[in-house]
Amino acid sequence: MSNIISYEESKQGFSWDLAKELMNWKEDEVLHIGAMCSDRVCSAGKGEKTALVWAGFGDRKCSYTFDDLRVYSNGFAKLLGDLGISPGDRVCIFMDKIPSLYFSFLGVLKFGAIAQPLFSAFGDESLEVRLGNAGTTAVLTTQKHAKKIRKIRDRLPALKHVVVVEGAESKLKDGEVLFDVESAPRVESFTAFRAESETPSVLHYTSGTTGQPKGALHVHGSVFGQALTTSWVLDLNDDDVYWCTADPGWVTGTSYGIIGPWVLGTTQCVLDAGFTANRWYQFVQDNRITVWYSAPTAIRSLMRAAGEPTRQFDLSSLRHLASVGEPLNAEAVVWSEKALGLPFHDTFWQTETGAIMIANYPGMKIKPGSMGKPFPGIRATVLDLESHEPVGDSGKVGLIAFSPGWPSMFRRYWNKPDIYRSKFVGAPTDAEPDQLRTNPDLWYVSGDRASIDQDGYYWFVGRDDDVINTGGHLVGPFEIESALIEHEAVAEAAVVGKPDAVNMEVVKAFVMLNSGFEKSDQLELDIMNFIRKKLSPLAMPQEIEFSEKLPKTRSGKILRRYLRALEWGEEVGDLSTLEDD
Ligand code: WT7
């Protein structure tokens, strides 16, 4: 039997207090993600239970108990105090999925600082924008990634400390400290910062259509949303062995790759060794994984890999599969039922929502291709594209919107109050963030289009903006265009997503060259590498089309929508209206 008894019944009389009941959490207890994921699990008698099973490239592997998690996160918390960092400071965690990432995430929170995890494949410019916006005080990184910080450190006046958690003393540069938590003296006790529900916890950056990425700020009270959705949607229980394939540089990797599972005291597995189908199946087999949360791109890659997985591997431990990040096509659900004996359950949410909002629940009929239904306690709808009035289950396509007030909702965009306000339909122009996020009469608009069928199932249609979703990762065209024009050969650039069989979309750039530069394959490669290094492999254009002229509106804005429609073979529409944008 699953944790969610029945979807319809769970909606009746729903209250988020059910999360507190689930966790057996009392109002006078410490409300603190760092402590709840480690100290509290140990106090409940599970200190010796395995918290983390980790594997890396080759045959590197190790495992840690909840008591290890407690002690090593204490170690990081103490370090921040020793360095003179203050609670509320932003501390960036910039490393591969190594164990110290997980320890330091909880340690930063225990100290009362705001954890700012950034994807380790980010280049120096992606980092600079995000560390600059957040006014980050310290970066925790590894020797491998420290050089990217060195390049930009001079331009980040707020950045006081760079801590290298894995590397050699002799390789450090001025102003860097080495701290290996596993060989440092054990810190048996550390009193976690007295957080309250509204105390900031995690800052995740996410890309939009215009402007640079925005930092979505979350709070410790989000834990109730993450815990209940982990239980009801991912169906995690005490005896499960769980694998979330996401990197904590993105919100899935923290909400469901750290917080939700560990507050429930579940054993998690982490594989920090890239993707091959056999390696993944082997990992499931070796660890007897029971619940698996992954992404459509990975599932499509598994589909393409030859062979029948259940013949080659013993995957009989698996009992529940879920997916997030991009549309999960019906074929993928049908394939997994056949190849793995279980369907993937699609879930929909965002960095901003902090937790799952729409899902296919265990025990509920899956309509392959649909994202499922809103989580009990979440009031969701689809708003008309023009009037912004709810269109309900008419089947009409509109904007997915949620009524504010769920626990894990983001509390603001860091230093961008106007953009935060613009996400709420009907918001008064002078409203403060706190008035918006608690006002159930407003709608928070997600930026995605969908329709609702007569059974209340949501069907994803596409994004309502120009953001590119490549393999479940959002990349902002503006950020890439800005980086492109820093290349000496590039005069102007427009970036759109083009269809891709595995990654759904990949980045394509249209580039106008400066005079004196000629298009060539070499130049194309050079520009691609320039972006890969500056931003990330995700942002790197897979194709560059050199053009004499880029289509623009009369006011001079590049018409990405037109270019995108060409790539997707869609109706371009009436160009004269596009030009008036
Ligand atoms: C965007 C959010 C929190 C999940 C990880 C990404 C797209 C997410 C689905 C889905 C179709 C999906 C949306 C959304 N997306 N889940 N099940 N079907 N699209 O978080 O980076 O904030 O991205 O990912 O476009 O707005 P994110």
Side-chain angles (χ1 to χ4, degrees):
M1 199 166 73
S2 52
N3 292 338
I4 185 166
I5 311 284
S6 123
Y7 176 71
E8 291 306 328
E9 277 176 43
S10 303
K11 285 202 325 190
Q12 307 300 323
F14 177 88
S15 150
W16 288 105
D17 285 343
L18 289 171
K20 298 176 185 170
E21 270 176 42
L22 166 75
M23 295 158 73
N24 197 16
W25 184 88
K26 305 282 179 305
E27 294 295 337
D28 57 355
E29 271 192 72
V30 172
L31 196 177
H32 189 292
I33 291 172
M36 287 161 114
C37 285
S38 56
D39 307 19
R40 193 170 182 272
V41 180
C42 295
S43 312
K46 293 204 248 177
E48 294 310 309
K49 181 177 174 180
T50 302
L52 174 65
V53 178
W54 180 89
F57 285 99
D59 54 7
R60 294 170 65 206
K61 58 178 176 207
C62 44
S63 76
Y64 301 89
T65 63
F66 277 98
D67 199 53
D68 295 331
L69 211 57
R70 184 184 69 77
V71 169
Y72 294 146
S73 57
N74 283 349
F76 276 104
K78 177 173 181 303
L79 169 82
L80 298 189
D82 293 348
L83 290 173
I85 286 165
S86 305
D89 282 356
R90 276 71 61 211
V91 175
C92 169
I93 301 170
F94 184 55
M95 45 186 107
D96 299 343
K97 287 188 281 182
I98 56 173
S100 276
L101 185 160
Y102 298 84
F103 306 146
S104 63
F105 181 84
L106 299 182
V108 169
L109 296 181
K110 278 186 172 175
F111 180 73
I114 301 174
Q116 182 191 7
L118 291 178
F119 185 42
S120 62
F122 276 156
D124 51 299
E125 191 158 313
S126 290
L127 276 171
E128 187 181 342
V129 165
R130 291 159 177 82
L131 298 177
N133 175 260
T136 307
T137 311
V139 180
L140 313 178
T141 188
T142 55
Q143 197 168 288
K144 179 173 155 197
H145 296 295
K147 34 185 181 304
K148 296 186 257 184
I149 310 284
R150 286 175 200 146
K151 263 185 154 171
I152 54 174
R153 198 164 171 178
D154 283 356
R155 299 198 289 277
L156 297 166
L159 181 58
K160 302 280 187 309
H161 309 278
V162 175
V163 179
V164 177
V165 305
E166 198 181 73
E169 192 87 50
S170 60
K171 299 255 173 76
L172 296 186
K173 295 277 186 251
D174 273 358
E176 294 171 356
V177 273
L178 187 68
F179 178 74
D180 174 355
V181 74
E182 293 186 52
S183 49
R186 286 169 68 83
V187 181
E188 278 301 333
S189 91
F190 184 93
T191 307
F193 179 79
R194 259 213 87 74
E196 292 171 4
S197 178
E198 288 306 308
T199 306
S201 55
V202 186
L203 183 65
H204 270 296
Y205 276 76
T206 182
S207 297
T209 308
T210 51
Q212 292 291 0
K214 311 169 291 275
L217 183 67
H218 292 278
V219 294
H220 282 269
S222 70
V223 69
F224 297 117
Q226 289 142 353
L228 197 61
T229 49
T230 300
S231 172
W232 285 10
V233 185
L234 302 179
D235 204 39
L236 282 195
N237 286 307
D238 199 38
D239 53 357
D240 275 310
V241 180
Y242 166 73
W243 183 22
C244 169
T245 58
D247 187 300
W250 314 99
V251 71
T252 310
T254 56
S255 287
Y256 297 104
I258 299 182
I259 304 172
W262 275 343
V263 293
L264 299 181
T266 308
T267 300
Q268 298 204 61
C269 300
V270 169
L271 177 62
D272 184 27
F275 176 88
T276 69
N278 282 357
R279 183 77 164 94
W280 276 36
Y281 291 134
Q282 186 80 46
F283 193 64
V284 170
Q285 172 179 296
D286 290 351
N287 296 298
R288 307 282 311 148
I289 286 165
T290 59
V291 179
W292 190 8
Y293 196 22
S294 197
T297 290
I299 301 164
R300 285 192 290 269
S301 305
L302 294 174
M303 277 169 80
R304 293 186 144 220
E308 288 177 47
T310 46
R311 282 202 178 190
Q312 286 166 274
F313 299 91
D314 176 6
L315 305 178
S316 60
S317 56
L318 288 173
R319 66 167 191 87
H320 187 63
L321 314 177
S323 160
V324 68
E326 321 146 57
L328 180 66
N329 34 327
E331 299 87 302
V333 178
V334 174
W335 169 82
S336 81
E337 274 190 307
K338 226 175 112 204
L340 306 173
L342 297 165
F344 268 95
H345 292 71
D346 194 11
T347 68
F348 170 91
W349 57 294
Q350 305 179 298
T351 303
E352 286 87 343
T353 69
I356 294 167
M357 301 299 273
I358 299 176
N360 290 282
Y361 305 89
M364 190 176 93
K365 177 179 170 233
I366 295 182
K367 294 191 187 186
S370 161
M371 306 194 293
K373 298 186 180 189
F375 190 77
I378 297 292
R379 198 156 73 92
T381 193
V382 161
L383 301 178
D384 183 83
L385 294 172
E386 303 292 327
S387 69
H388 288 171
E389 290 298 326
V391 300
D393 58 5
S394 62
K396 204 170 159 195
V397 172
L399 303 167
I400 304 176
F402 302 105
S403 166
W406 65 95
S408 59
M409 180 178 185
F410 73 136
R411 298 308 202 252
R412 63 199 65 212
Y413 285 128
W414 196 265
N415 280 336
K416 296 187 185 211
D418 295 342
I419 304 185
Y420 188 77
R421 205 175 294 118
S422 73
K423 289 280 183 166
F424 297 84
V425 165
T429 48
D430 56 351
E432 293 296 324
D434 282 348
Q435 296 169 316
L436 297 167
R437 65 161 184 87
T438 52
N439 185 345
D441 297 331
L442 303 177
W443 290 108
Y444 160 75
V445 180
S446 71
D448 290 295
R449 294 183 181 188
S451 65
I452 310 173
D453 72 16
Q454 287 189 341
D455 300 325
Y457 282 75
Y458 282 61
W459 296 81
F460 185 80
V461 172
R463 289 204 49 109
D464 188 50
D465 57 20
D466 296 336
V467 172
I468 300 160
N469 186 334
T470 180
H473 301 107
L474 302 188
V475 293
F478 176 83
E479 199 180 3
I480 307 174
E481 288 162 0
S482 308
L484 279 167
I485 55 177
E486 287 171 38
H487 190 281
E488 55 169 5
V490 178
E492 286 187 41
V495 163
V496 298
K498 77 167 205 172
D500 183 83
V502 170
N503 290 294
M504 184 167 94
E505 286 184 283
V506 290
V507 173
K508 172 163 180 182
F510 294 82
V511 159
M512 226 173 88
L513 291 175
N514 278 319
S515 57
F517 289 89
E518 289 292 323
K519 65 176 180 187
S520 69
D521 291 349
Q522 188 49 46
L523 182 59
E524 184 178 358
L525 272 181
D526 191 67
I527 297 175
M528 286 174 174
N529 272 322
F530 182 77
I531 298 299
R532 185 175 57 78
K533 279 212 184 121
K534 257 187 185 310
L535 299 181
S536 73
L538 298 171
M540 182 182 86
Q542 303 289 319
E543 185 186 335
I544 295 179
E545 187 168 322
F546 295 104
S547 329
E548 298 289 314
K549 192 168 170 261
L550 297 177
K552 288 192 186 156
T553 61
R554 278 188 209 118
S555 58
K557 249 174 56 187
I558 292 175
L559 276 170
R560 287 196 204 114
R561 256 199 295 156
Y562 169 73
L563 294 169
R564 191 189 143 84
L566 288 182
E567 288 305 314
W568 286 77
E570 287 165 1
E571 283 286 308
V572 171
D574 181 357
L575 261 188
S576 62
T577 60
L578 285 174
E579 281 184 9
D580 285 336
D581 263 358

